Amino acid sequence: MSEGVDTVGLDTPPKLAVDGLLDDPQTRIIVCCGAGGVGKTTTAAALGVRAAERGRKAVVLTIDPARRLAQSMGIDSLDNTPRKVATVGTGAAAGGGELHAMMLDMKRTFDEIVEAHADAERARAILANPFYQSLSAGFAGTQEYMAMEKLGQLRARDDWDLIIVDTPPSRSALDFLDAPKRLGSFLDGKFIRVLMAPAKVGGRAGMKFLNVGMSMMTGTLSKLMGASLLKDVQTFVAAMDTMFGGFRTRADATFRLLQAPGTAFLVVAAPEPDALREAAYFVERLAAERMPLAGLVLNRVHTSGAGQLSAERALAAAENLEEGGIVDQEAGKAGLRDAVDPASDPSSAPPSDHDHDHDPDPDDSPDVDEITAGLLRLHAERMQVIAREQRTRDRFTSLHPEVAVAEVAALPGDVHDLAGLRAIGERLAAGVPAGA
């Protein structure tokens, strides 16, 4: 989506124009993806707040189990139903934006699919099935699959003109892309078909098939899974028979939705080697899947308001202060005393006994040189961190010079309210940290 990119030169990556991306009415879905712990949830929430306050009707879908999103937006709790954030946006009455937020409940989403695609009696049987309860609560890939199901549901409702998705904290970077295919393949695969076979054949022929062909496999599966579990699986398969094709169909439809021009992926990373290696993998994988990449959000970038003072100069100055090598301070003070005439400057007259009562003990006063040297060393450490982050970013940029980047300056503390989300949004829009 070229509307979201400003080219700033050959030696630096193009700048990601976040406001251009948010303001573009063609942008209908923004997917924030990245490794765990890099700020995906905060980024998604900050984008939602900024989009709503710029006139979009946005909904943020988070899969963050820590529930920080609800707290930061002043909502008691989030669940599987979008809830309006009353204090964000200009309101529908003024023709302005709104913000809704929700947190994925993967079991409830799975239940909704069953209830929507099965008659009441069959739905009750499926929901009560022990194998289904295990599958819907924690089967590998279920969370990612249900995140994509929920995205498809939100997009089909057309109640919002912008959907922002915070992807699951997965071990593998792009599990949410793979999971729909994996779960769809499982539910529509050979194993399920074999389990369905006895119920499909039916009657005397079915019994013959079961006795001749299935008895050996059933015996083996009973040993591996337990007879009770195998029965639960077969009952689940029989009840879900008419629904299996729908899982694959919806997975394919959602995958195509993610490839559509109205979707924009933002890869979120921290300026650390591991996180940016993962980000590079994301970029390559998205390109391979023909997913529209908007750019990279580089979170928690360190900055300094005194960037012109290098680490080397700061350390040298600190060493000079500690060794007394900058000035002969005692001699300088003595020279000043000799140059002042006590008669012409009352302030230089010897102190009275009363004055001594208020004079601080020189031993109790902090050593200015020592404090200054300590601050210089802290500054040197900060400049070394900044240089290391810059080298790490430059390595990523050299591999992917076409990827637009927005750098977000680190905040002093955690984001826990709307003011913090707005501050992150402003930094996202600026694209380059203040003081950089």
Side-chain angles (χ1 to χ4, degrees):
M1 302 189 67
S2 59
E3 296 87 346
V5 177
D6 287 338
T7 302
V8 296
L10 296 176
D11 297 329
T12 58
K15 177 184 171 183
L16 174 62
V18 170
D19 281 349
L21 185 68
L22 295 177
D23 294 345
D24 184 357
Q26 300 301 314
T27 304
R28 301 299 303 274
I29 297 172
I30 295 177
V31 181
C32 297
C33 56
V38 296
K40 292 194 302 294
T41 300
T42 301
T43 298
L47 289 170
V49 171
R50 191 165 184 86
E53 294 184 341
R54 295 179 68 85
R56 301 296 298 270
K57 189 174 182 182
V59 59
V60 176
L61 168 62
T62 184
I63 302 94
D64 179 24
R67 301 180 185 273
R68 290 181 291 107
L69 180 62
Q71 297 168 2
S72 64
M73 291 184 173
I75 300 174
D76 291 337
S77 63
L78 291 178
D79 55 23
N80 217 40
T81 302
R83 298 186 181 278
K84 185 177 180 180
V85 183
T87 54
V88 174
T90 55
E98 296 179 6
L99 178 63
H100 295 73
M102 62 182 297
M103 188 174 73
L104 178 74
D105 182 333
M106 65 177 180
K107 186 179 187 312
R108 182 60 202 145
T109 301
F110 210 151
D111 291 351
E112 290 171 355
I113 296 170
V114 171
E115 292 165 351
H117 296 89
D119 59 67
E121 183 178 352
R122 182 170 292 193
R124 282 194 297 271
I126 294 171
L127 297 178
N129 183 275
F131 179 74
Y132 168 78
Q133 292 173 358
S134 298
L135 175 70
S136 60
F139 189 80
T142 302
Q143 185 183 51
E144 290 81 3
Y145 180 90
M146 292 306 151
M148 295 301 97
E149 279 275 358
K150 182 56 69 175
L151 170 60
Q153 292 175 10
L154 293 173
R155 186 67 182 86
R157 286 173 59 178
D158 206 29
D159 289 339
W160 301 274
D161 58 28
L162 180 61
I163 302 168
I164 301 172
V165 182
D166 164 35
T167 55
S170 305
R171 178 183 298 179
S172 175
L174 290 177
D175 271 355
F176 73 97
L177 287 180
D178 295 327
K181 288 184 177 180
R182 286 204 308 268
L183 189 59
S185 297
F186 167 73
L187 293 174
D188 198 28
K190 293 180 179 179
F191 175 67
I192 294 295
R193 291 179 184 277
V194 169
L195 291 175
M196 289 167 60
K200 280 184 172 294
V201 175
R204 190 173 296 177
M207 289 302 295
K208 182 178 180 182
F209 174 82
L210 177 62
N211 289 334
V212 175
M214 291 291 291
S215 57
M216 291 179 60
M217 190 198 74
T218 303
T220 302
L221 288 175
S222 294
K223 292 178 182 177
L224 293 173
M225 303 170 62
S228 177
L229 177 57
L230 178 58
K231 182 178 179 181
D232 291 337
V233 172
Q234 289 176 320
T235 303
F236 164 78
V237 168
M240 293 280 285
D241 181 13
T242 59
M243 295 181 57
F244 288 135
F247 284 98
R248 175 67 66 85
T249 300
R250 286 192 301 276
D252 291 343
T254 303
F255 203 81
R256 289 193 299 272
L257 180 64
L258 293 174
Q259 293 175 319
T263 299
F265 281 82
L266 288 177
V267 176
V268 184
E272 300 165 0
D274 288 346
L276 278 171
R277 274 195 295 270
E278 194 82 349
Y281 167 72
F282 269 68
V283 169
E284 293 160 8
R285 176 68 191 283
L286 289 170
E289 298 286 358
R290 300 195 306 279
M291 301 288 180
L293 173 65
L296 171 74
V297 173
L298 199 57
N299 272 332
R300 302 169 190 158
V301 176
H302 289 88
T303 63
S304 172
Q308 69 277 11
L309 178 59
S310 68
E312 293 76 12
R313 289 177 59 199
L315 287 173
E319 291 172 359
N320 281 333
L321 279 174
E322 290 166 345
E323 296 170 1
I326 292 181
V327 291
D328 184 354
Q329 296 182 12
E330 289 304 317
K333 291 176 183 176
L336 287 173
R337 283 196 298 269
D338 293 342
V340 175
D341 180 2
S344 62
D345 185 359
S347 65
S348 65
S352 66
D353 292 340
H354 178 73
D355 291 336
H356 279 300
D357 294 339
H358 299 282
D359 281 349
D361 186 341
D363 292 336
D364 293 336
S365 301
D367 187 300
V368 175
D369 290 350
E370 183 179 348
I371 293 173
T372 304
L375 290 174
L376 285 166
R377 290 189 178 279
L378 285 174
H379 174 75
E381 291 177 6
R382 170 59 64 92
M383 293 304 295
Q384 289 167 348
V385 169
I386 292 172
R388 185 167 61 248
E389 291 179 352
Q390 184 68 43
R391 289 193 299 270
T392 304
R393 192 210 73 176
D394 288 347
R395 282 195 291 271
F396 173 88
T397 300
S398 66
L399 292 172
H400 301 284
E402 77 288 353
V403 177
V405 178
E407 296 187 13
V408 182
L411 290 175
D414 292 335
V415 175
H416 53 79
D417 55 19
L418 282 170
L421 292 177
R422 289 189 177 99
I424 291 292
E426 291 171 1
R427 285 163 166 77
L428 277 165
V432 179

